[in-house]
Amino acid sequence: MIQLTTAAKLENAIAKARTVKTRVRVNAFGSYTVTNKQTGATYTVTCEKRDGKRFAHCSCEAGKRGRACYHLAAVLGVHIQLATEQASH
Ligand SMILES: [Zn+2]
């Protein structure tokens, strides 16, 4: 579980997300499946808000160790957009 605090912490993951071709599928709000188009590997990323803090978790090896991975970075863009849409309804 990674607490999402500053964008700076995710900088490397975001940079990698730009170089790896991924596909993000929305399972439900806060639950996503990320596919690496090159390897076909899929991982599950979940995002949640607890006590006003945002947390994210990825099922890949880096994610299990609490590191911000590019799957998470790829999902965040989608998640923030959905969250913004929800807030405006
Ligand atoms: Zn990951």
Side-chain angles (χ1 to χ4, degrees):
M1 197 67 80
I2 299 149
Q3 188 185 344
L4 303 172
T5 48
T6 60
K9 232 180 173 182
L10 288 167
E11 234 168 46
N12 290 342
I14 290 166
K16 181 154 187 200
R18 288 204 185 101
T19 65
V20 180
K21 285 186 169 67
T22 56
R23 188 177 60 223
V24 178
R25 203 179 67 208
V26 181
N27 302 319
F29 180 70
S31 175
Y32 310 88
T33 301
V34 182
T35 305
N36 180 325
K37 285 186 183 174
Q38 278 141 336
T39 65
T42 62
Y43 300 100
T44 305
V45 176
T46 52
C47 303
E48 62 179 300
K49 213 172 171 182
R50 221 187 276 158
D51 300 327
K53 291 170 189 150
R54 289 179 190 282
F55 293 91
H57 178 261
C58 180
S59 64
C60 77
E61 285 305 315
K64 279 182 204 163
R65 292 193 200 108
R67 277 195 240 140
C69 57
Y70 69 92
H71 312 113
L72 212 146
V75 160
L76 274 185
V78 176
H79 182 67
I80 288 164
Q81 198 183 330
L82 284 179
T84 307
E85 279 170 17
Q86 276 206 341
S88 67
H89 285 306

